[in-house]
């Protein structure tokens, strides 16, 4: 699968079966785990914890998790190629691996057994990354780099036969200069059209322009409005012979700016609250109520926050068993209400923003901006 909002939604939408789903997130970063045996040892510990979590279950559910453990261990030790991979996510049910994901960024080692795939680590990673393009523009060359989830790929490079300077004077020089400018315009136009096709196939969240200010501004005049609206920041001084480290630095800086800007805007909207006509929910009880009503537009969650609760026969989530019974029996316990709220919000098309501590949420584990 691809790590996208749609990909996560599709994963969460997977129909439930009599078997539980075993979700494994494994850090395979070679800098931290030089030998396969190093991360395989962590995997064994995760799988033992997963099996221990269903030790009190019987029949299909328990047997399925044991089969998952065997399938996952077999996949990692015999089929997994970690070349260029720092993070691996595996989802299995009934002994069948139904989805895997590899990333150029490491995951924290986590296991979870539940009715649905555990997607919180995916949401956390998605929230820290954007799909960014870097266009390096020169009068006779144009390069386009893609940056997503810590991985840089050069998508295309274009060369032009734009002529150099001419030393003759008079009308000859003027005509030559006009021809050069015409060639330059066509070069920038061809590059802009090529970049637009890339954007239409897989849209950028942002496009960073690099080169000399004069040439980049001339190129920018040829950009389609679809690309123009995602241009980010100032022109980055750079030549087409730029090093990989310099490309990574420029893209990493752009990504940090995008994340900070997005979160600032969303937190300002949350802080505005009812005083600005924006409906919000703060605290687990109020967020659960909004989730049950499918009203969550943006969900703010502190990573690692969790609380047990209940689900009614009608699917309503509550903190207390008596409240769940009022919605309809039978009632089933829920290991982590916040995970359930995240999953339900994803299915309802909400944006998820995860934070490492509760300081930005006034000490609450969750908050939300509501649709209506």
């Amino acid at each position: 699968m691809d790590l996208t909002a749609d990909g996560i939604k599709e994963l969460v939408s997977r129909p439930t079966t009599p078997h539980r789903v075993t979700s494994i997130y494994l850090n395979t970063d070679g800098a931290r785990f030089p030998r396969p045996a190093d991360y395989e040892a962590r995997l064994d510990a995760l799988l033992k914890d997963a099996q221990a979590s269903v030790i009190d279950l019987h029949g299909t559910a328990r047997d399925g998790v044991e089969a998952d453990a065997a399938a996952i261990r077999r996949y990692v030790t015999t089929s997994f190629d970690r070349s260029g991979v720092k993070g691996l996510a595996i989802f299995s049910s009934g002994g069948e691996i139904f989805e895997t994901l590899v990333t150029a960024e490491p995951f924290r080692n986590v296991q979870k057994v539940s009715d649905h795939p555990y997607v919180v680590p995916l949401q956390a990673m998605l929230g820290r990354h954007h799909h960014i393009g870097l266009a390096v523009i020169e009068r006779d060359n144009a390069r386009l780099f893609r940056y997503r989830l810590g991985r840089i790929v050069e998508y295309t490079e274009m060369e032009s036969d734009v002529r150099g300077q001419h030393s003759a004077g008079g009308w000859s020089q003027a005509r030559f200069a006009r021809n050069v400018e015409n060639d330059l315009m066509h070069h920038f136009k061809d590059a802009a059209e090529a970049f637009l096709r890339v954007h239409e196939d897989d849209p950028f969240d942002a496009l960073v322009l690099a080169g000399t200010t004069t040439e980049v501004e001339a190129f920018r005049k040829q950009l389609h409005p679809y690309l123009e609206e995602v241009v980010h920041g100032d022109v980055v001084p750079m030549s087409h012979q730029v090093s990989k480290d310099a490309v990574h630095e420029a893209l990493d800086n752009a990504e940090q700016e995008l994340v900070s800007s997005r979160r600032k805007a969303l937190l300002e909207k949350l802080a505005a609250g009812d005083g600005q006509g924006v409906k919000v929910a703060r605290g687990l009880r109020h967020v659960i109520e909004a989730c049950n009503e499918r009203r969550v537009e943006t969900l703010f969650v502190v990573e690692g926050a969790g609380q047990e609760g209940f689900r009614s026969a009608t699917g309503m989530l509550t903190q207390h068993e008596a409240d769940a019974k009022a919605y309809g029996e039978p009632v089933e316990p829920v290991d982590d209400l916040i995970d359930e709220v995240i999953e339900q919000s994803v299915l309802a098309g909400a944006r998820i923003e995860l934070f490492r501590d509760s300081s930005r949420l006034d000490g609450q584990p969750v908050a939300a901006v509501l649709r209506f």
Side-chain angles (χ1 to χ4, degrees), residues 11 111 217:
L11 193 61
Q111 63 81 24
E217 289 304 321

Side-chain angles (χ1 to χ4, degrees), residues 29-46:
D29 187 356
R32 184 172 180 184
F33 304 108
R35 303 173 304 161
D38 297 327
Y39 62 77
E40 288 171 6
R42 270 56 177 190
L43 174 66
D44 286 340
L46 292 174

Side-chain angles (χ1 to χ4, degrees), residues 199-327:
H199 179 62
E200 289 175 333
D201 288 341
D202 191 0
F204 294 115
D205 297 317
L207 177 65
V208 178
L209 302 179
T212 66
T213 300
T214 300
E215 291 170 349
V216 169
E217 289 304 321
F219 165 76
R220 191 166 180 173
K221 293 177 181 178
Q222 304 298 326
L223 283 180
H224 189 281
Y226 292 163
L227 275 176
E228 176 63 35
E229 68 182 6
V230 298
V231 170
H232 172 79
D234 298 327
V235 175
V236 179
M238 192 176 288
S239 76
H240 79 278
Q241 295 177 330
V242 62
S243 68
K244 184 177 180 180
D245 287 343
V247 169
H248 195 285
E249 181 180 2
L251 289 166
D252 189 54
N253 289 340
E255 183 158 69
Q256 291 181 36
E257 292 168 0
L258 289 166
V259 171
S260 296
S261 177
R262 184 192 74 227
R263 290 193 168 185
K264 180 181 178 182
L266 289 171
L267 286 168
E268 286 176 350
K269 190 173 183 180
L270 177 66
D274 293 316
Q276 298 293 327
V278 178
K279 299 296 184 181
V280 302
R282 295 183 175 89
L284 185 55
R285 181 171 71 87
H286 297 296
V287 170
I288 288 174
E289 291 173 358
C291 177
N292 284 337
E293 296 170 359
R294 302 294 191 268
R295 295 179 59 202
V296 176
E297 178 182 275
T298 303
L299 178 68
F300 304 85
V301 183
V302 177
E303 287 187 66
Q307 181 176 323
E308 295 180 350
F310 299 89
R311 182 192 291 108
S312 73
T314 57
M316 297 297 180
L317 300 172
T318 67
Q319 291 178 275
H320 306 291
E321 186 174 9
D323 294 335
K325 288 181 178 179
Y327 281 116

Side-chain angles (χ1 to χ4, degrees), residues 1 11 21-25 72 89-93 96-101 117-119 122:
M1 66 172 284
L11 193 61
V21 175
T22 303
S23 304
I24 296 290
Y25 292 87
I72 292 170
I90 308 175
F91 305 93
S92 181
S93 183
E96 179 182 352
I97 295 175
F98 61 86
E99 195 61 83
T100 62
L101 172 72
Y118 180 58
V119 299
L122 299 184

